Amino acid sequence: MRVLVTGGAGFIGSHIVAALASRGHEPVVLDALLPTAHAGPLEQLPSGTAQFHHEDVRDPEAVRRALHGVTAVCHQAAMVGLGKDLTDAPDYVGSNDLGTAVLLAEMARADVRHLVLAGSMVIYGEGHYACPQHGRVAPGPRAAADLTAGRFEPPCPRCGADLVPGLVDEEAPADPRNVYAATKIAQEYLAAAWARSTGGRAMALRYHNVYGPGMPYNTPYAGVASFFRSALARGEAPRVFEDGHQRRDFVHVADVAAANVAALEAIADRPPGSLRAYNTGSGTPHTVGEMAAALAAASGGPTPVVTGEYRLGDVRHITASSQRLRTELGWRPAVDFADGVAQFARAPQRGLPAGRAPR
């Protein structure tokens, strides 16, 4: 199968390219090498690349060229993370939503009917919560006054009681709470509209907190694991926001790449004209503080510092049930948290200056 991987030179995309090649597929890469994801020039093509297009997914002619002879598209090209502030909004919308719209229009023109989309758990907002009295509830955005006062846990919106966090499934309603999250749910809506219009088949893999070798160094456009790893590479203590007890599902990039391959290999059997979403996580929650401490211990770096700081766009707890992905596509995460973090602590980062690797 000849597969166009947009963003295929990036952190996750490059792992997908290598995984596709290892299964005998032909990955074609289209990547603009934007500075938000690439601190410098591309040193080498991702392993297994059959063809490379250094072009932007927002350019219809570039996408048209890249789609030549392609059977399926694995759409990874996007700006990620919370970024700096709201001034990033036009770049997020342009990269993520305009880029997706251009890609889908050209796929319709080229009669390419299979799409696997990089989705995100950020579309859920806060995750699954249960109140002892009222059962499952959906807390609203946390107030700045509460966060400033150190009240980080969202209370029951009906009685104010403490809540118990759980695993969120794909039927949870979308509740995007920052610009990035809004662009990610818009991508899914666009892909669903494309599928209905063309009879195409689409899958959205809603990644949870992906980590592993090749994460970018020292950029606000990345995940929390990258922030911690970058601090340790500078010889600094990781700074943990809030109280460090935020629950996340950290999933290794090799497992995410395997999920993409499984989706691409199964998509022809899906019903046409629809989009099917899959949470993509390890299924085993860990706190942000645990990730920071594990990375520091594995690299021999300074002990993390819990700062009490916060970002209004962050949510408190979001952890995945990936049962649908396991049941329908036969996918299983293969990288244990302890092993994955130990590997990540010593692995190269994109844009890491020479001599800055953890000691």
Side-chain angles (χ1 to χ4, degrees):
M1 178 167 47
R2 190 171 175 88
V3 181
L4 174 61
V5 184
T6 69
F11 164 47
I12 297 175
S14 60
H15 285 268
I16 293 171
V17 167
L20 282 168
S22 73
R23 293 278 295 178
H25 301 296
E26 293 182 70
V28 175
V29 172
L30 184 147
D31 201 306
L33 304 181
L34 297 178
T36 51
H38 300 269
L42 190 64
E43 295 181 359
Q44 62 183 27
L45 292 177
S47 175
T49 302
Q51 191 176 37
F52 178 67
H53 298 263
H54 180 192
E55 296 183 284
D56 198 308
V57 73
R58 291 168 288 189
D59 180 345
E61 293 186 4
V63 174
R64 204 168 301 152
R65 288 190 292 269
L67 284 170
H68 181 71
V70 160
T71 304
V73 173
C74 186
H75 184 31
Q76 305 295 313
M79 278 183 66
V80 302
L82 284 183
K84 294 177 292 186
D85 52 42
L86 200 62
T87 61
D88 287 328
D91 290 332
Y92 274 101
V93 173
S95 295
N96 298 359
D97 298 337
L98 175 59
T100 299
V102 169
L103 173 67
L104 295 172
E106 294 306 320
M107 288 177 66
R109 184 176 284 111
D111 198 29
V112 176
R113 300 293 182 89
H114 296 164
L115 171 70
V116 174
L117 170 69
S120 176
M121 54 83 181
V122 295
I123 68 163
Y124 296 121
E126 291 287 350
H128 179 288
Y129 288 90
C131 170
Q133 181 176 351
H134 297 105
R136 184 166 181 172
V137 295
R142 297 179 294 169
D146 287 337
L147 295 171
T148 301
R151 295 188 293 270
F152 301 123
E153 295 288 345
C156 174
R158 298 179 62 182
C159 68
D162 293 340
L163 299 175
V164 178
L167 303 182
V168 67
D169 61 27
E170 293 85 355
E171 301 309 315
D175 186 17
R177 299 195 176 179
N178 55 59
V179 170
Y180 172 55
T183 66
K184 294 306 289 184
I185 191 59
Q187 283 185 304
E188 289 196 22
Y189 291 150
L190 288 166
W194 164 84
R196 286 193 298 271
S197 175
T198 65
R201 295 170 169 88
M203 294 183 182
L205 301 183
R206 292 173 177 169
Y207 302 159
H208 283 245
N209 288 71
V210 187
Y211 75 98
M215 290 193 88
Y217 170 75
N218 207 32
T219 172
Y221 305 99
V224 66
S226 178
F227 298 164
F228 296 155
R229 175 71 170 75
S230 296
L232 289 163
R234 297 191 300 268
E236 301 171 3
R239 296 177 61 81
V240 180
F241 280 13
E242 300 186 19
D243 57 4
H245 294 164
Q246 309 95 300
R247 287 160 53 101
R248 296 291 186 268
D249 188 317
F250 294 101
V251 58
H252 195 274
V253 66
D255 288 331
V256 170
N260 276 271
V261 174
L264 287 161
E265 292 181 342
I267 196 168
D269 297 327
R270 299 299 308 168
S274 63
L275 178 143
R276 183 72 162 163
Y278 296 90
N279 285 340
T280 307
S282 72
T284 305
H286 290 275
T287 68
V288 171
E290 285 172 344
M291 169 57 87
L295 271 175
S299 65
T303 301
V305 175
V306 178
T307 69
E309 298 172 89
Y310 63 87
R311 299 184 300 180
L312 275 177
D314 279 337
V315 297
R316 181 61 174 173
H317 304 297
I318 177 68
T319 53
S321 167
S322 298
Q323 189 58 46
R324 177 185 289 180
L325 183 58
R326 294 172 182 238
T327 300
E328 295 186 7
L329 301 186
W331 172 86
R332 295 288 187 279
V335 182
D336 172 80
F337 178 77
D339 293 338
V341 170
Q343 176 203 39
F344 177 45
R346 298 286 179 178
Q349 282 182 278
R350 292 170 181 271
L352 181 65
R356 284 288 187 92
R359 294 179 293 275

